[in-house]
Amino acid sequence: MAMVLYPLSWFSLSASYWIFAFIQILILGRVLHLLISIARLHQWNRTEILFLAIVFCAFPPLFNALLLGNFTLLVLWGWVELYRAITMQRDRSAALWLVLTTAKLQHTVYYGVVLLAGRRWKTLFLAFGVMVGLVIVTSLALGPTLWPDYVKLLAQLGSVFDQYGITVRDMINFKGLLVNLLGETNFTAINLVNLLMWVVSALVVAWLWRGSWEPQSPDFSLKLAFSLTLGLVFSPHSNVQDALFLVFPVFLFYMYLRQHAPTQAQTLGWLALGSPTILLISEFLLRNELPFHLPFLLLLGLAIWIGNVLR
C-alpha cells in the first residue's frame, strides 16, 4: 500500500490530503453503488434504497474515516466486492479483493476464516500467491528486512497503551470495554483475555461454516453478517472510524430479515435510521458519562440479535 501511495509524496501535504480525499470520495461512490445494486437485485423498493443511501452517507464514522484519511473505507469496499465475487463464484476476483482487505489485517481475519472453513481452496491459494508476489516485490524495492520488521511492529502495537496515537479507551471493541471497566493497570491481562476471545470466536465462526457452501442461500448472508460482526466485537484493534464496517453486516442482516422476518426488518430499519443521531449524542453528550462506548453497545447488540436469529 505504501508503494501505491508513494506518488502522493511528490506533492505538498495539503495537496496530498485533497488528492487522497478525492480518491476516498470515488471509493465512497463505488461502495454506495454496489450496495444499491445488490439491494435492487433483491427487489428493495425505492424507499428502502433511499434510506440506505441516507443512513450510509450520514453515518458519523464515515466522516471520521474521510477526515482521517485512513483505509477503513477502502477495506469496506473490499468487503463488499469480496461478497459480490463470492456470490458470483468468481474465485480470481475474490482472491484479489481478499488481498486488498489485508490493508486492515485485523478486520480481514474472519473473512479468511469463512473462506477456510468453507473450503474455498482456489480462492485462498490464489490470494496466497498474490501475497507472496507482493512480499517479493516490496522486499526487492524496500529491503529484505521490511516484512520481519512489520511483523515485529504489529506485535509491539498490539501490546501498547496510549502510545503512537493508539488510545485503547476509545476503541469500540471488547478490549476497549475491558480497559474502561478495569483500568489500564490490568492491560496485560486484558490483552490476553481479548486474544483468547478473538481465537475462540474465530473457532465459533469456523464451526458455523461447516457443511455445504451455498452463496445463493439466504442463510449465507445471515451467517456472513454474524461472522463479520463477531470479528468486529473481538478485534484486537478497532478505532471509532472502524464502526463504519457495521454498515455491511447490518445491510446483509436487513436483506435476510426482509425476506424471513419483516417485522424485525422494520425494527432494524428504524434503528439504522436513528443510528447517526444516536452516535452523535454518544460522542458529544455521553462520551464521559458511560463506562463504555455506545457504538460498541450497538455492535454487541447486533451480534446477539443475529446470533439469536441464527439459532
Side-chain angles (χ1 to χ4, degrees):
M1 192 61 67
M3 294 182 66
V4 173
L5 297 177
Y6 173 73
L8 291 178
S9 65
W10 302 339
F11 304 93
S12 67
L13 180 61
S14 177
S16 298
Y17 173 81
W18 287 111
I19 293 171
F20 189 71
F22 178 70
I23 295 172
Q24 292 271 73
I25 294 298
L26 293 179
I27 294 174
L28 169 61
R30 175 59 179 171
V31 173
L32 187 57
H33 172 73
L34 285 170
L35 293 176
I36 291 174
S37 298
I38 296 171
R40 285 176 175 165
L41 188 64
H42 288 81
Q43 300 180 340
W44 290 27
N45 60 46
R46 291 183 179 180
T47 302
E48 288 174 308
I49 292 175
L50 176 61
F51 283 172
L52 167 64
I54 290 173
V55 171
F56 183 40
C57 293
F59 202 45
L62 174 61
F63 294 96
N64 290 111
L66 292 174
L67 289 173
L68 292 172
N70 62 18
F71 296 143
T72 300
L73 187 57
L74 176 70
V75 175
L76 177 62
W77 176 29
W79 273 21
V80 182
E81 291 279 14
L82 179 53
Y83 167 80
R84 186 165 172 263
I86 289 172
T87 55
M88 298 177 72
Q89 300 182 4
R90 296 178 177 176
D91 294 324
R92 293 181 181 177
S93 295
L96 292 175
W97 288 113
L98 179 62
V99 171
L100 176 72
T101 61
T102 59
K104 275 185 171 286
L105 185 60
Q106 72 273 21
H107 295 306
T108 302
V109 170
Y110 280 59
Y111 237 133
V113 171
V114 168
L115 293 170
L116 184 63
R119 298 177 296 281
R120 300 296 92 196
W121 307 122
K122 184 176 181 180
T123 298
L124 291 170
F125 284 141
L126 287 171
F128 179 75
V130 173
M131 286 296 296
V132 169
L134 291 174
V135 167
I136 293 173
V137 170
T138 52
S139 296
L140 291 174
L142 302 174
T145 63
L146 172 68
W147 289 100
D149 289 344
Y150 177 67
V151 172
K152 292 178 183 177
L153 179 62
L154 286 181
Q156 180 183 359
L157 293 179
S159 60
V160 300
F161 183 87
D162 288 351
Q163 298 180 43
Y164 311 115
I166 299 174
T167 308
V168 183
R169 286 187 178 277
D170 291 339
M171 288 187 181
I172 53 164
N173 54 8
F174 185 62
K175 182 192 287 188
L177 175 67
L178 292 180
V179 168
N180 279 286
L181 292 177
L182 304 178
E184 60 270 20
T185 56
N186 299 296
F187 187 62
T188 301
I190 288 172
N191 248 340
L192 290 174
V193 170
N194 189 80
L195 179 61
L196 176 62
M197 293 302 298
W198 195 42
V199 172
V200 169
S201 59
L203 292 175
V204 170
V205 168
W207 177 84
L208 179 65
W209 287 91
R210 71 197 190 285
S212 60
W213 179 265
E214 300 177 358
Q216 301 301 327
S217 168
D219 289 346
F220 183 89
S221 297
L222 182 65
K223 291 194 296 185
L224 184 58
F226 180 73
S227 302
L228 296 177
T229 304
L230 204 62
L232 292 172
V233 170
F234 296 109
S235 169
H237 191 99
S238 192
N239 291 315
V240 174
Q241 66 271 14
D242 292 329
L244 181 62
F245 288 121
L246 262 173
V247 168
F248 192 48
V250 170
F251 174 81
L252 293 175
F253 189 35
Y254 179 83
M255 193 162 63
Y256 175 87
L257 289 179
R258 71 185 300 274
Q259 292 183 342
H260 297 86
T263 302
Q264 291 191 56
Q266 289 182 0
T267 302
L268 180 60
W270 285 114
L271 286 173
L273 277 174
S275 62
T277 302
I278 293 171
L279 292 184
L280 287 173
I281 291 173
S282 169
E283 178 67 21
F284 293 104
L285 297 180
L286 301 177
R287 186 170 183 176
N288 297 320
E289 304 297 328
L290 300 174
F292 53 81
H293 294 290
L294 204 52
F296 175 74
L297 186 63
L298 294 176
L299 180 61
L300 185 61
L302 178 66
I304 294 172
W305 189 357
I306 301 175
N308 186 59
V309 173
L310 264 173
R311 289 194 309 169

